[in-house]
Amino acid sequence: MDVAAVTNVVVAAISVLTVVVSAFFALRQLRLAQGANHTLVAIELLTRDRMSDTFLDSQQFVLTELRTACPRGVPVSELPADARKHVNRIALYYNGLGQMLAFKVVEPALLLGTGGYRAREAWAVLEPYILAERAVRGESYLSNFEHLAVLATETPWPVAVRKLGLRRFDHYPADVGRAPRPADGPDGAASTGG
């Protein structure tokens, strides 16, 4: 083989390798951008809906009034209209968060850390109503909500705190971050000197 042929083969191989590496990094960048977009959607869902008065009213009803207002084991679709509205608002919200977990749209720690406790609470109340509705509609009804509740149960908040490496105070002073000055008295008030 002559030198020109070898040079052409080497140049062609380098060109192919460059294209492959560029394609790999382009795909990786695309996935990162999509993940960032999904995270923004998740944050929007977590803050906008969960902080509205309407959502908070529904959450209050589900967690404190539903059990006394409606017998356990009634399918969601057979609840009185007002109760059904509250139940659907809460259940569909947590079902949406569960979908994000199921499709790996967001980091699980983000959702479990911010909504896991309430998801477990809501599931504990709504489970008999959801299971009764599943008997009518099928097993897939609100299955993503259940997925979220299961993951939240498997990773309770104290475990999540440790996994995230969140820092905590060793003790909780009344005035966080303010150390008494030498001129201050024992209660932290400035002494009058006299």
Side-chain angles (χ1 to χ4, degrees), residues 75-137:
V76 173
S77 60
E78 295 178 20
L79 291 171
D82 195 47
R84 187 173 59 245
K85 174 186 66 177
H86 291 303
V87 167
N88 281 331
R89 183 174 291 124
I90 298 303
L92 292 174
Y93 173 78
Y94 288 116
N95 196 62
L97 297 183
Q99 283 175 323
M100 286 190 265
L101 283 175
F103 290 105
K104 297 176 177 41
V105 172
V106 295
E107 177 64 35
L110 174 68
L111 294 182
L112 296 174
T114 58
Y117 174 77
R118 287 288 187 215
R120 286 193 320 267
E121 277 191 318
W123 179 263
V125 172
L126 294 174
E127 182 182 35
Y129 305 97
I130 292 170
L131 295 180
E133 188 68 27
R134 283 182 182 175
V136 176
R137 286 195 197 192

Side-chain angles (χ1 to χ4, degrees), residues 17-29:
L17 182 63
T18 302
V19 168
V20 169
V21 169
S22 295
F24 170 78
F25 283 113
L27 286 172
R28 185 170 180 261
Q29 187 65 28

Side-chain angles (χ1 to χ4, degrees), residues 40-56:
L40 291 174
V41 169
I43 291 169
E44 175 68 17
L45 280 173
L46 286 169
T47 55
R48 183 195 64 209
D49 291 341
R50 198 171 77 179
M51 296 304 155
S52 72
D53 288 339
T54 306
F55 183 87
L56 294 173

